[in-house]
Amino acid sequence: MNYFPDEVVEHVFDFITSHKDRNSVSLVCKSWYKIERYSRQRVFIGNCYSITPQRLIARFPGLKSLTLKGKPHFADFNLVPHDWGGFVDPWIKALAKSRIGLEELRLKRMVVSDDSLELLSKSFPNFKSLVLVSCEGFTTDGVAAIAANCRFLRELDLQENEVEDHRGHWLSCFPESCTSLVSLNFACLKGEINLASLERLVARSPNLKSLRLNRMVPLDTLQKLLMRAPQLVDLGIGSYVDDPSSEVFSKLKTVIQLCNSIRSLSGFLEVAPCCMSAIYPICENLTFLNLSYAPGLQGNDLTKLVQHCRKLQRLWILDCIGDKGLGVVASTCKELQELRVFPSDPFDAGNAAVTEEGLVLISSGCPKLNSLLYFCHQMTNAALITVAKNCTNFIRFRLCILDPVKADPVTNQPLDEGFGAIVRSNKSLKRLSLSGLLTDQVFLYIGMYAKKLEMLSIAFAGDSNKGMLYVLNGCKKLRKLEIRDCPFGDVALLEDMGKYETMRSLWMSSCEVTLGACKILAKKMPSLNLEIINESEQLEFSLDDRLLVDKMYLYRTLVGHRKDKPEYVLLL
Amino acid sequence: MSPPLLGVEEEVQSSVSSPSVECISENGMGLKERNYLGLSDCSSVDSSGVSSNLNLATELRLGLPGSQSPERETEFCLLNLGKLDEKPLFPLLPSKDGICSSSQKNVVTGNKRGFSDTMDGFSEVKGYVYTEKSWMFHEAGSDSESPQSVGHGKYPGNSGVNVILSTRSPGVQASVKQDEPANVLQEQPRATNGTSLKQTVISNNTTGAPAAKAQVVGWPPIRPFRTKTLAASSKNNDEVDGKPGPGALFVKVIMDGAPYLRKVDLRTYSTYQELSSALEKMFSCFTLGQCGSHGTAGKEILSESRLKDLLHGSEYVVTYKDKDGDWMLVGDVPWEMFIETCKRLKIMKSSNAIGLAPRAVEKSKANNKKEFGYGC
């Protein structure tokens, strides 16, 4: 079988970088398994409870980069109680004890403590990169430890984390000898920072390519920072408020002209619209623009800005841009691949800022569109069918109609046909989120056509178990299925229990699943963990099997029940 | 963020006592949506028949999903007139500082309880819907196309509970509709108590978002980090703008007796005349009969004190709070100076304005005093 010495095979494997491919390679034969595991440097673990750190360390002694995800996706929307789990501490402790030379740690939806961060910072001399997304449990003291102790830190990227801000001058903890920073993102921190320290840090970081500031960094500091770092590729602006006639502002205008490497722009957490004109010069080269946290910009401001961004590939924006504004995007941004439109006021339908019209305009103007997240107040089947005709490259299609069961307002029909058209024409669709009034029919279409679908999010949809069954039977590549408030019950859950071993996880909340069915499933499938999350006090598990389970989280695992579950979680 | 509409209900209509009588709107099935959010669709202040009733742009409806009276239908059509791209005269949006900001607190707990009670009821109802197919949706929907399947009539108990509050006089059919549905709604929770593991929907809504708005937990699916940040940003932007400088200059406008405040951007006006017209338009619903007699286009503005005169016919004076915190009469200083010092506007009854402008008080006493009603 093996005509080549191991070193050659290993060298060949160096060219195989995707996790999927490396996983496949490791299954070919024992020899390849061995070669692969010793040469593997990057590991991705989509569910931190599917494996233990000890087994990870045992298998991949050459590990350098670890990505971990903790809570299920619906935790983002308050459906998972506090303290459910996803603690990174045991991982860091185990890695620290081992001889792993960890260099990069990327966490998503995990609970991180200051102690873990400190341990992390002190245990790995070559540690280079920390990326935390939607994590919680730590304060700026933990961040300070990272800054102080990681001598070769290249990347400190905090995205949308809930961080308790102690205003403890964490920025000043970067030693003067630290000159290796390439990426610094602290936009999610709410507290003040030492501006002088920030300026000095940027001044001594010649490799700095990405800098995202928080709202406490004022415009005059921004101007000084840009002077020091005209080589920036990615800029996140904190506060952008000044008088357009001020001297500082004209200095900013001048210095921005020098920053012709900027390809990605975000932030504007505080903004005075009249200052936006200074940005126009860099708009020409932008490929990513994120204004989704800038409610201070009105539709007109957004439109004016976007008109300059002809090379834009990714746009994240608030719905106050309006359908007309999206029309401007459609006619300007011909390279657009990804669009995310967020609601500026999710609980107020009065300002119905974007509707199906905006989406149709985008679909006809932007032929390269492959990823969509669209919050709107209404959608019609006709619009979706048109979008499906115009765009056949969707990989991600997430539509959120703010009223969860809203029908097509023109025909009063469910949106089955519209979504059906989308899945029929977009054969590469990997991720789909549904909303609006939907019957079992839409699931029939999904099962029939969405053959590459990996993640499906369903809410308030369907009529019967058939809906869920269509999906489970039809979507062979399904990895993550999350369902809330749908009439799917035991029959659907138990029909094909083996299916769940091919998936990462299944979430069902406020559906029709009974405790009895959960017990059956858990008993039959020891390779799955079935968690029942129950917070109400009436929970007396004296246990009538007919009781409906409110939240169920099912995931495959190699290591059985987790030891850190809170009281309100029942592991069957 | 939008305030809870039940607060308005409590303030305005004491006849509605139980918090659990919330109108759960029907969706799809050819039946019109009863969307509490629909109140913002009503640009219909200019629709004659309805305007006087929609002063607060809210309408209390206590019907069951799908239940509607013909009158409601018409009215809803009127509500629907407010197309998205029309600029309503009164964009009666429940803004952050808008409806019931003051009553938000007292509503929270009551609403929560009511909502979860109802939700419990409807959570259980869902069981009925899918097994027995005998739920009220069908009956109520008899006047529309027949439900294709249960699913169409489905009201998953957790989706947006919609409340439309009305300030219509209680004599209208709203009260007639109240009794029946209310009873039915209330029966359900009792009947199904304690037999399910289903939690109350509101159980862990721990974000900063006002839970009292009859929201569904976790809907819309937006990370709390985002909603919190946006809310903080908006607040900051407003505050930033409160200082004279570039950008909009929003100040709150309070009107004596009005249930909610408004905000105006002083930078969009360049004279007192313009401000006065805008204020009139904004608050005309609270001062019936006063519109039209002012805002005299073409008339020359004699002096900055024109504003005083204009509004004095209506018993009201416009005052503002300046940088020092003092309440001053609007119109004394040049416009530019005014916008630099104005922090808030208040439209007071002349009788309360004693000391500010004695002339005004006398003037208004001399006029025929008219009835003012908001919310009839």
PDB file of all heavy atoms in Angstrom, chain A residues 76-78 160 292 347 350 352 355 402-403 460 484-485 538 548, chain B residues 33 40 84 154 158 196-197 204 207 215 217-219 223-224 226:
ATOM      1  N   ASP A  76     -27.294  31.533  21.897  1.00  0.00           N
ATOM      2  CA  ASP A  76     -27.174  32.924  21.485  1.00  0.00           C
ATOM      3  C   ASP A  76     -28.461  33.687  21.721  1.00  0.00           C
ATOM      4  O   ASP A  76     -28.472  34.909  21.753  1.00  0.00           O
ATOM      5  CB  ASP A  76     -26.855  33.025  19.987  1.00  0.00           C
ATOM      6  CG  ASP A  76     -25.379  32.838  19.702  1.00  0.00           C
ATOM      7  OD1 ASP A  76     -24.585  32.796  20.663  1.00  0.00           O
ATOM      8  OD2 ASP A  76     -25.022  32.711  18.522  1.00  0.00           O
ATOM      9  N   PHE A  77     -29.571  32.970  21.789  1.00  0.00           N
ATOM     10  CA  PHE A  77     -30.863  33.643  21.880  1.00  0.00           C
ATOM     11  C   PHE A  77     -31.528  33.364  23.209  1.00  0.00           C
ATOM     12  O   PHE A  77     -32.752  33.261  23.299  1.00  0.00           O
ATOM     13  CB  PHE A  77     -31.749  33.211  20.709  1.00  0.00           C
ATOM     14  CG  PHE A  77     -31.008  33.179  19.407  1.00  0.00           C
ATOM     15  CD1 PHE A  77     -31.042  32.059  18.592  1.00  0.00           C
ATOM     16  CD2 PHE A  77     -30.238  34.263  19.003  1.00  0.00           C
ATOM     17  CE1 PHE A  77     -30.337  32.028  17.398  1.00  0.00           C
ATOM     18  CE2 PHE A  77     -29.531  34.241  17.810  1.00  0.00           C
ATOM     19  CZ  PHE A  77     -29.580  33.113  17.008  1.00  0.00           C
ATOM     20  N   ASN A  78     -30.702  33.207  24.235  1.00  0.00           N
ATOM     21  CA  ASN A  78     -31.234  33.036  25.585  1.00  0.00           C
ATOM     22  C   ASN A  78     -32.021  31.763  25.791  1.00  0.00           C
ATOM     23  O   ASN A  78     -32.815  31.691  26.723  1.00  0.00           O
ATOM     24  CB  ASN A  78     -32.143  34.216  25.974  1.00  0.00           C
ATOM     25  CG  ASN A  78     -31.335  35.466  26.166  1.00  0.00           C
ATOM     26  OD1 ASN A  78     -30.185  35.409  26.556  1.00  0.00           O
ATOM     27  ND2 ASN A  78     -31.948  36.594  25.888  1.00  0.00           N
ATOM     28  N   GLU A 160     -17.532  40.216  20.339  1.00  0.00           N
ATOM     29  CA  GLU A 160     -18.873  40.092  20.922  1.00  0.00           C
ATOM     30  C   GLU A 160     -18.903  39.282  22.210  1.00  0.00           C
ATOM     31  O   GLU A 160     -19.817  38.490  22.430  1.00  0.00           O
ATOM     32  CB  GLU A 160     -19.823  39.450  19.897  1.00  0.00           C
ATOM     33  CG  GLU A 160     -19.910  40.266  18.620  1.00  0.00           C
ATOM     34  CD  GLU A 160     -21.107  39.897  17.769  1.00  0.00           C
ATOM     35  OE1 GLU A 160     -21.744  38.858  18.034  1.00  0.00           O
ATOM     36  OE2 GLU A 160     -21.410  40.668  16.847  1.00  0.00           O
ATOM     37  N   SER A 292     -23.042  47.356  11.152  1.00  0.00           N
ATOM     38  CA  SER A 292     -24.206  46.836  11.866  1.00  0.00           C
ATOM     39  C   SER A 292     -24.258  47.287  13.315  1.00  0.00           C
ATOM     40  O   SER A 292     -25.229  47.038  14.012  1.00  0.00           O
ATOM     41  CB  SER A 292     -24.233  45.313  11.793  1.00  0.00           C
ATOM     42  OG  SER A 292     -23.094  44.786  12.429  1.00  0.00           O
ATOM     43  N   PHE A 347     -37.855  45.125  17.847  1.00  0.00           N
ATOM     44  CA  PHE A 347     -39.161  44.925  18.448  1.00  0.00           C
ATOM     45  C   PHE A 347     -40.165  45.948  17.970  1.00  0.00           C
ATOM     46  O   PHE A 347     -41.218  46.093  18.528  1.00  0.00           O
ATOM     47  CB  PHE A 347     -39.038  44.950  19.964  1.00  0.00           C
ATOM     48  CG  PHE A 347     -38.026  43.950  20.445  1.00  0.00           C
ATOM     49  CD1 PHE A 347     -36.816  44.368  20.972  1.00  0.00           C
ATOM     50  CD2 PHE A 347     -38.256  42.596  20.323  1.00  0.00           C
ATOM     51  CE1 PHE A 347     -35.873  43.454  21.394  1.00  0.00           C
ATOM     52  CE2 PHE A 347     -37.318  41.670  20.734  1.00  0.00           C
ATOM     53  CZ  PHE A 347     -36.124  42.095  21.279  1.00  0.00           C
ATOM     54  N   GLY A 350     -42.843  49.224  13.225  1.00  0.00           N
ATOM     55  CA  GLY A 350     -43.377  50.419  12.598  1.00  0.00           C
ATOM     56  C   GLY A 350     -42.514  50.909  11.469  1.00  0.00           C
ATOM     57  O   GLY A 350     -42.979  51.460  10.495  1.00  0.00           O
ATOM     58  N   ALA A 352     -40.878  49.431   9.238  1.00  0.00           N
ATOM     59  CA  ALA A 352     -40.566  48.340   8.314  1.00  0.00           C
ATOM     60  C   ALA A 352     -39.553  48.760   7.280  1.00  0.00           C
ATOM     61  O   ALA A 352     -39.884  49.117   6.161  1.00  0.00           O
ATOM     62  CB  ALA A 352     -41.842  47.885   7.627  1.00  0.00           C
ATOM     63  N   THR A 355     -37.962  45.138   3.216  1.00  0.00           N
ATOM     64  CA  THR A 355     -38.964  44.133   2.901  1.00  0.00           C
ATOM     65  C   THR A 355     -38.394  43.238   1.809  1.00  0.00           C
ATOM     66  O   THR A 355     -37.206  43.296   1.486  1.00  0.00           O
ATOM     67  CB  THR A 355     -40.239  44.780   2.361  1.00  0.00           C
ATOM     68  OG1 THR A 355     -39.932  45.375   1.095  1.00  0.00           O
ATOM     69  CG2 THR A 355     -40.737  45.859   3.297  1.00  0.00           C
ATOM     70  N   LEU A 402     -39.445  39.046  11.135  1.00  0.00           N
ATOM     71  CA  LEU A 402     -39.525  39.393  12.546  1.00  0.00           C
ATOM     72  C   LEU A 402     -40.784  38.880  13.225  1.00  0.00           C
ATOM     73  O   LEU A 402     -40.754  38.535  14.404  1.00  0.00           O
ATOM     74  CB  LEU A 402     -39.386  40.909  12.719  1.00  0.00           C
ATOM     75  CG  LEU A 402     -37.965  41.362  12.377  1.00  0.00           C
ATOM     76  CD1 LEU A 402     -37.879  42.862  12.257  1.00  0.00           C
ATOM     77  CD2 LEU A 402     -37.002  40.882  13.435  1.00  0.00           C
ATOM     78  N   ASP A 403     -41.862  38.812  12.525  1.00  0.00           N
ATOM     79  CA  ASP A 403     -43.049  38.177  13.063  1.00  0.00           C
ATOM     80  C   ASP A 403     -42.946  36.700  12.702  1.00  0.00           C
ATOM     81  O   ASP A 403     -43.002  36.341  11.541  1.00  0.00           O
ATOM     82  CB  ASP A 403     -44.288  38.803  12.426  1.00  0.00           C
ATOM     83  CG  ASP A 403     -45.562  38.205  12.951  1.00  0.00           C
ATOM     84  OD1 ASP A 403     -45.511  37.163  13.630  1.00  0.00           O
ATOM     85  OD2 ASP A 403     -46.621  38.784  12.692  1.00  0.00           O
ATOM     86  N   PHE A 460     -41.130  27.737  14.800  1.00  0.00           N
ATOM     87  CA  PHE A 460     -42.556  27.981  14.581  1.00  0.00           C
ATOM     88  C   PHE A 460     -43.004  27.513  13.211  1.00  0.00           C
ATOM     89  O   PHE A 460     -43.684  28.229  12.475  1.00  0.00           O
ATOM     90  CB  PHE A 460     -42.850  29.487  14.698  1.00  0.00           C
ATOM     91  CG  PHE A 460     -42.379  30.089  15.977  1.00  0.00           C
ATOM     92  CD1 PHE A 460     -41.243  30.878  16.004  1.00  0.00           C
ATOM     93  CD2 PHE A 460     -43.069  29.892  17.161  1.00  0.00           C
ATOM     94  CE1 PHE A 460     -40.796  31.436  17.185  1.00  0.00           C
ATOM     95  CE2 PHE A 460     -42.639  30.459  18.347  1.00  0.00           C
ATOM     96  CZ  PHE A 460     -41.494  31.235  18.347  1.00  0.00           C
ATOM     97  N   ARG A 484     -37.193  24.917  17.263  1.00  0.00           N
ATOM     98  CA  ARG A 484     -37.916  25.426  18.426  1.00  0.00           C
ATOM     99  C   ARG A 484     -39.359  25.666  18.058  1.00  0.00           C
ATOM    100  O   ARG A 484     -39.655  26.105  16.951  1.00  0.00           O
ATOM    101  CB  ARG A 484     -37.267  26.711  18.957  1.00  0.00           C
ATOM    102  CG  ARG A 484     -37.290  27.851  17.973  1.00  0.00           C
ATOM    103  CD  ARG A 484     -37.007  29.170  18.654  1.00  0.00           C
ATOM    104  NE  ARG A 484     -38.060  29.532  19.577  1.00  0.00           N
ATOM    105  CZ  ARG A 484     -38.077  30.669  20.260  1.00  0.00           C
ATOM    106  NH1 ARG A 484     -37.090  31.523  20.134  1.00  0.00           N
ATOM    107  NH2 ARG A 484     -39.063  30.940  21.091  1.00  0.00           N
ATOM    108  N   ASP A 485     -40.227  25.359  19.008  1.00  0.00           N
ATOM    109  CA  ASP A 485     -41.644  25.672  18.838  1.00  0.00           C
ATOM    110  C   ASP A 485     -42.236  25.109  17.552  1.00  0.00           C
ATOM    111  O   ASP A 485     -42.870  25.828  16.769  1.00  0.00           O
ATOM    112  CB  ASP A 485     -41.834  27.207  18.867  1.00  0.00           C
ATOM    113  CG  ASP A 485     -41.484  27.768  20.223  1.00  0.00           C
ATOM    114  OD1 ASP A 485     -42.368  27.762  21.086  1.00  0.00           O
ATOM    115  OD2 ASP A 485     -40.316  28.168  20.421  1.00  0.00           O
ATOM    116  N   GLN A 538     -41.477  23.168  38.998  1.00  0.00           N
ATOM    117  CA  GLN A 538     -42.459  22.089  39.060  1.00  0.00           C
ATOM    118  C   GLN A 538     -41.821  20.788  38.614  1.00  0.00           C
ATOM    119  O   GLN A 538     -42.451  19.779  38.462  1.00  0.00           O
ATOM    120  CB  GLN A 538     -43.659  22.409  38.165  1.00  0.00           C
ATOM    121  CG  GLN A 538     -43.240  23.133  36.920  1.00  0.00           C
ATOM    122  CD  GLN A 538     -44.332  23.260  35.882  1.00  0.00           C
ATOM    123  OE1 GLN A 538     -44.050  23.174  34.727  1.00  0.00           O
ATOM    124  NE2 GLN A 538     -45.551  23.435  36.311  1.00  0.00           N
ATOM    125  N   LEU A 548     -44.222  16.432  28.500  1.00  0.00           N
ATOM    126  CA  LEU A 548     -43.503  17.015  27.380  1.00  0.00           C
ATOM    127  C   LEU A 548     -42.210  17.638  27.881  1.00  0.00           C
ATOM    128  O   LEU A 548     -42.182  18.310  28.896  1.00  0.00           O
ATOM    129  CB  LEU A 548     -44.354  18.095  26.704  1.00  0.00           C
ATOM    130  CG  LEU A 548     -45.545  17.589  25.905  1.00  0.00           C
ATOM    131  CD1 LEU A 548     -46.322  18.754  25.323  1.00  0.00           C
ATOM    132  CD2 LEU A 548     -45.094  16.653  24.785  1.00  0.00           C
TER     133      LEU A 548
ATOM    134  N   GLU B  33     -53.759  40.258  10.321  1.00  0.00           N
ATOM    135  CA  GLU B  33     -52.930  40.177  11.505  1.00  0.00           C
ATOM    136  C   GLU B  33     -53.322  41.227  12.486  1.00  0.00           C
ATOM    137  O   GLU B  33     -53.589  42.361  12.130  1.00  0.00           O
ATOM    138  CB  GLU B  33     -51.482  40.418  11.139  1.00  0.00           C
ATOM    139  CG  GLU B  33     -50.878  39.195  10.544  1.00  0.00           C
ATOM    140  CD  GLU B  33     -49.423  39.447  10.298  1.00  0.00           C
ATOM    141  OE1 GLU B  33     -48.778  40.047  11.177  1.00  0.00           O
ATOM    142  OE2 GLU B  33     -48.972  39.065   9.236  1.00  0.00           O
ATOM    143  N   SER B  40     -48.018  50.909  14.511  1.00  0.00           N
ATOM    144  CA  SER B  40     -47.148  51.839  13.819  1.00  0.00           C
ATOM    145  C   SER B  40     -47.491  51.947  12.366  1.00  0.00           C
ATOM    146  O   SER B  40     -46.975  52.778  11.671  1.00  0.00           O
ATOM    147  CB  SER B  40     -45.706  51.391  13.948  1.00  0.00           C
ATOM    148  OG  SER B  40     -45.493  50.861  15.229  1.00  0.00           O
ATOM    149  N   LEU B  84     -45.293  51.404   3.691  1.00  0.00           N
ATOM    150  CA  LEU B  84     -43.976  51.538   4.273  1.00  0.00           C
ATOM    151  C   LEU B  84     -43.260  52.793   3.825  1.00  0.00           C
ATOM    152  O   LEU B  84     -42.533  53.402   4.564  1.00  0.00           O
ATOM    153  CB  LEU B  84     -43.125  50.333   3.903  1.00  0.00           C
ATOM    154  CG  LEU B  84     -43.782  49.018   4.295  1.00  0.00           C
ATOM    155  CD1 LEU B  84     -42.936  47.883   3.798  1.00  0.00           C
ATOM    156  CD2 LEU B  84     -43.929  48.946   5.786  1.00  0.00           C
ATOM    157  N   LYS B 154     -52.542  27.280  13.100  1.00  0.00           N
ATOM    158  CA  LYS B 154     -51.729  27.073  14.286  1.00  0.00           C
ATOM    159  C   LYS B 154     -51.312  28.395  14.863  1.00  0.00           C
ATOM    160  O   LYS B 154     -50.919  29.304  14.149  1.00  0.00           O
ATOM    161  CB  LYS B 154     -50.499  26.263  13.895  1.00  0.00           C
ATOM    162  CG  LYS B 154     -49.291  26.503  14.768  1.00  0.00           C
ATOM    163  CD  LYS B 154     -48.112  25.789  14.164  1.00  0.00           C
ATOM    164  CE  LYS B 154     -47.709  26.462  12.877  1.00  0.00           C
ATOM    165  NZ  LYS B 154     -46.360  26.978  12.967  1.00  0.00           N
ATOM    166  N   ASN B 158     -45.976  30.355  21.481  1.00  0.00           N
ATOM    167  CA  ASN B 158     -44.888  31.222  21.912  1.00  0.00           C
ATOM    168  C   ASN B 158     -44.582  32.347  20.966  1.00  0.00           C
ATOM    169  O   ASN B 158     -43.717  33.139  21.240  1.00  0.00           O
ATOM    170  CB  ASN B 158     -43.617  30.389  22.097  1.00  0.00           C
ATOM    171  CG  ASN B 158     -43.882  29.269  23.052  1.00  0.00           C
ATOM    172  OD1 ASN B 158     -44.718  29.417  23.924  1.00  0.00           O
ATOM    173  ND2 ASN B 158     -43.213  28.167  22.874  1.00  0.00           N
ATOM    174  N   SER B 196     -47.465  19.515  32.904  1.00  0.00           N
ATOM    175  CA  SER B 196     -46.486  19.505  31.824  1.00  0.00           C
ATOM    176  C   SER B 196     -45.150  20.025  32.304  1.00  0.00           C
ATOM    177  O   SER B 196     -45.067  20.797  33.231  1.00  0.00           O
ATOM    178  CB  SER B 196     -46.982  20.362  30.672  1.00  0.00           C
ATOM    179  OG  SER B 196     -45.925  20.624  29.797  1.00  0.00           O
ATOM    180  N   LEU B 197     -44.151  19.558  31.636  1.00  0.00           N
ATOM    181  CA  LEU B 197     -42.832  20.063  31.961  1.00  0.00           C
ATOM    182  C   LEU B 197     -42.557  21.368  31.249  1.00  0.00           C
ATOM    183  O   LEU B 197     -41.534  21.962  31.420  1.00  0.00           O
ATOM    184  CB  LEU B 197     -41.772  19.048  31.517  1.00  0.00           C
ATOM    185  CG  LEU B 197     -41.611  17.828  32.418  1.00  0.00           C
ATOM    186  CD1 LEU B 197     -40.604  16.891  31.820  1.00  0.00           C
ATOM    187  CD2 LEU B 197     -41.167  18.263  33.795  1.00  0.00           C
ATOM    188  N   ASN B 204     -36.292  32.592  31.047  1.00  0.00           N
ATOM    189  CA  ASN B 204     -34.933  33.090  31.207  1.00  0.00           C
ATOM    190  C   ASN B 204     -34.612  34.263  30.295  1.00  0.00           C
ATOM    191  O   ASN B 204     -33.565  34.334  29.709  1.00  0.00           O
ATOM    192  CB  ASN B 204     -33.929  31.971  30.996  1.00  0.00           C
ATOM    193  CG  ASN B 204     -34.095  31.357  29.620  1.00  0.00           C
ATOM    194  OD1 ASN B 204     -35.108  31.568  28.986  1.00  0.00           O
ATOM    195  ND2 ASN B 204     -33.125  30.611  29.190  1.00  0.00           N
ATOM    196  N   THR B 207     -31.928  39.263  29.365  1.00  0.00           N
ATOM    197  CA  THR B 207     -31.175  40.345  28.737  1.00  0.00           C
ATOM    198  C   THR B 207     -31.775  41.677  29.120  1.00  0.00           C
ATOM    199  O   THR B 207     -32.806  41.753  29.762  1.00  0.00           O
ATOM    200  CB  THR B 207     -31.240  40.238  27.210  1.00  0.00           C
ATOM    201  OG1 THR B 207     -32.589  40.436  26.816  1.00  0.00           O
ATOM    202  CG2 THR B 207     -30.799  38.871  26.761  1.00  0.00           C
ATOM    203  N   GLN B 215     -42.790  39.680  24.384  1.00  0.00           N
ATOM    204  CA  GLN B 215     -41.895  39.095  23.411  1.00  0.00           C
ATOM    205  C   GLN B 215     -41.884  37.599  23.581  1.00  0.00           C
ATOM    206  O   GLN B 215     -42.222  37.067  24.627  1.00  0.00           O
ATOM    207  CB  GLN B 215     -40.469  39.599  23.659  1.00  0.00           C
ATOM    208  CG  GLN B 215     -40.320  41.080  23.562  1.00  0.00           C
ATOM    209  CD  GLN B 215     -40.653  41.586  22.196  1.00  0.00           C
ATOM    210  OE1 GLN B 215     -40.380  40.956  21.215  1.00  0.00           O
ATOM    211  NE2 GLN B 215     -41.291  42.746  22.138  1.00  0.00           N
ATOM    212  N   VAL B 217     -39.420  34.553  23.957  1.00  0.00           N
ATOM    213  CA  VAL B 217     -38.028  34.396  24.343  1.00  0.00           C
ATOM    214  C   VAL B 217     -37.212  33.976  23.133  1.00  0.00           C
ATOM    215  O   VAL B 217     -37.601  33.076  22.399  1.00  0.00           O
ATOM    216  CB  VAL B 217     -37.903  33.324  25.447  1.00  0.00           C
ATOM    217  CG1 VAL B 217     -36.452  32.993  25.683  1.00  0.00           C
ATOM    218  CG2 VAL B 217     -38.517  33.838  26.723  1.00  0.00           C
ATOM    219  N   GLY B 218     -36.108  34.620  22.960  1.00  0.00           N
ATOM    220  CA  GLY B 218     -35.213  34.216  21.893  1.00  0.00           C
ATOM    221  C   GLY B 218     -35.687  34.573  20.506  1.00  0.00           C
ATOM    222  O   GLY B 218     -35.184  34.036  19.526  1.00  0.00           O
ATOM    223  N   TRP B 219     -36.660  35.466  20.405  1.00  0.00           N
ATOM    224  CA  TRP B 219     -37.091  35.877  19.061  1.00  0.00           C
ATOM    225  C   TRP B 219     -37.183  37.383  19.012  1.00  0.00           C
ATOM    226  O   TRP B 219     -37.727  37.970  19.913  1.00  0.00           O
ATOM    227  CB  TRP B 219     -38.434  35.256  18.719  1.00  0.00           C
ATOM    228  CG  TRP B 219     -38.702  35.369  17.260  1.00  0.00           C
ATOM    229  CD1 TRP B 219     -39.351  36.397  16.622  1.00  0.00           C
ATOM    230  CD2 TRP B 219     -38.220  34.489  16.231  1.00  0.00           C
ATOM    231  NE1 TRP B 219     -39.327  36.194  15.266  1.00  0.00           N
ATOM    232  CE2 TRP B 219     -38.634  35.029  14.994  1.00  0.00           C
ATOM    233  CE3 TRP B 219     -37.488  33.315  16.232  1.00  0.00           C
ATOM    234  CZ2 TRP B 219     -38.347  34.408  13.770  1.00  0.00           C
ATOM    235  CZ3 TRP B 219     -37.205  32.706  15.029  1.00  0.00           C
ATOM    236  CH2 TRP B 219     -37.637  33.258  13.821  1.00  0.00           C
ATOM    237  N   ARG B 223     -28.334  38.106  18.835  1.00  0.00           N
ATOM    238  CA  ARG B 223     -27.546  37.958  20.051  1.00  0.00           C
ATOM    239  C   ARG B 223     -27.797  39.125  20.991  1.00  0.00           C
ATOM    240  O   ARG B 223     -27.788  40.277  20.570  1.00  0.00           O
ATOM    241  CB  ARG B 223     -26.052  37.936  19.712  1.00  0.00           C
ATOM    242  CG  ARG B 223     -25.619  36.659  19.082  1.00  0.00           C
ATOM    243  CD  ARG B 223     -24.122  36.610  18.917  1.00  0.00           C
ATOM    244  NE  ARG B 223     -23.747  35.388  18.232  1.00  0.00           N
ATOM    245  CZ  ARG B 223     -22.670  35.266  17.476  1.00  0.00           C
ATOM    246  NH1 ARG B 223     -21.860  36.292  17.313  1.00  0.00           N
ATOM    247  NH2 ARG B 223     -22.410  34.120  16.891  1.00  0.00           N
ATOM    248  N   PRO B 224     -27.983  38.847  22.256  1.00  0.00           N
ATOM    249  CA  PRO B 224     -28.204  39.930  23.228  1.00  0.00           C
ATOM    250  C   PRO B 224     -27.078  40.947  23.186  1.00  0.00           C
ATOM    251  O   PRO B 224     -27.314  42.132  23.390  1.00  0.00           O
ATOM    252  CB  PRO B 224     -28.212  39.196  24.567  1.00  0.00           C
ATOM    253  CG  PRO B 224     -28.553  37.804  24.241  1.00  0.00           C
ATOM    254  CD  PRO B 224     -28.052  37.522  22.866  1.00  0.00           C
ATOM    255  N   ARG B 226     -25.669  42.088  20.686  1.00  0.00           N
ATOM    256  CA  ARG B 226     -25.973  43.043  19.631  1.00  0.00           C
ATOM    257  C   ARG B 226     -27.067  43.998  20.059  1.00  0.00           C
ATOM    258  O   ARG B 226     -26.948  45.213  19.883  1.00  0.00           O
ATOM    259  CB  ARG B 226     -26.374  42.287  18.363  1.00  0.00           C
ATOM    260  CG  ARG B 226     -26.687  43.176  17.184  1.00  0.00           C
ATOM    261  CD  ARG B 226     -26.904  42.352  15.930  1.00  0.00           C
ATOM    262  NE  ARG B 226     -25.666  41.845  15.378  1.00  0.00           N
ATOM    263  CZ  ARG B 226     -24.842  42.555  14.626  1.00  0.00           C
ATOM    264  NH1 ARG B 226     -25.131  43.807  14.351  1.00  0.00           N
ATOM    265  NH2 ARG B 226     -23.746  42.027  14.170  1.00  0.00           N
TER     266      ARG B 226
END
